[in-house]
Amino acid sequence: MPDTPTIRATGVDGTPGPPGGLGGAGPGGNPGVSGKSHKDKNNNWVCDTQPTNGFPGQPGQPGGNADAQGGSPGLDAPPFNLSLGLVVGAVVVELGGGDGGPGGAGGKGGRGGDGGAAGASADGCTAASQGPAGIGGKGGNGSNGGNGGNGSNVVITYTELQGSFSAAHVKGNPGQGGAFGPAGDPGSGVGGGGSQGPGSPGSNGQQKGSPGQLIVRPA
């Protein structure tokens, strides 16, 4: 006679929290001023106005924070009743409510704007360069995980026992906090760049649910 399989009497897990959205890209920088030059009486180019470098790209927008509601709590396990005939071996009964839903992740920061184009060069002038890259936006914050659900009364009856029962509190765990939103990428340009850093992660759920109670008796 094969052993009686593990029995699970647990609740439904909570749902994950909605994540934050991607931050908007920063506007590009304005172009530099064009250079101007002329030829002198010896037919040599003379620079009148040096071209200027492009203006810096603007910072990326922050990533969205995950929805503040976070992960939903795990559901409490419903009452559980089971009638068995012959029970063989060491039977484990898994108890607990549903696990809390994980928190939502923060959104990624927006890309920094590109540096503005260099001002057009002119003969006899020194060439300008593209403007500095805009800094990437700060990442959004993650939301908190949900609390674990509670177990219920689990009543199991049997007609014959050739073994044993034991309870294991395997569910009703707090949900994990949502991940931080990563920093946005910098734009392109000469110099500048970097980022405003990532957001903050959410916190794990605050409590694990109670296991409930296992009651085993002859039919």
Side-chain angles (χ1 to χ4, degrees):
M1 187 65 154
D3 288 354
T4 302
T6 296
I7 298 168
R8 171 162 286 201
T10 57
V12 177
D13 293 343
T15 55
L22 175 67
N30 292 326
V33 177
S34 299
K36 294 181 181 179
S37 62
H38 71 277
K39 282 186 176 182
D40 63 13
K41 62 182 180 180
N42 298 317
N43 208 35
N44 295 319
W45 284 104
V46 176
C47 185
D48 300 311
T49 303
Q50 293 284 359
T52 62
N53 296 336
F55 287 84
Q58 298 300 303
Q61 298 298 308
N65 294 330
D67 193 300
Q69 74 185 37
S72 68
L75 300 183
D76 293 343
F80 185 92
N81 294 275
L82 180 64
S83 298
L84 300 173
L86 172 61
V87 176
V88 179
V91 182
V92 176
V93 182
E94 297 181 343
L95 305 178
D99 293 336
K108 182 175 179 177
R111 183 180 183 275
D114 295 334
S121 190
D123 291 326
C125 297
T126 302
S129 64
Q130 183 185 8
I135 190 171
K138 184 175 178 63
N141 298 329
S143 61
N144 298 336
N147 292 329
N150 297 315
S152 65
N153 285 337
V154 177
V155 180
I156 299 176
T157 60
Y158 60 86
T159 58
E160 184 178 352
L161 180 59
Q162 295 180 7
S164 62
F165 285 91
S166 63
H169 187 192
V170 299
K171 295 284 286 182
N173 301 299
Q176 186 173 7
F180 61 79
D185 300 319
S188 64
V190 178
S195 77
Q196 300 177 58
S200 299
S203 299
N204 294 341
Q206 295 182 338
Q207 64 185 30
K208 182 171 184 174
S210 61
Q213 184 178 8
L214 173 62
I215 302 168
V216 179
R217 58 176 179 246

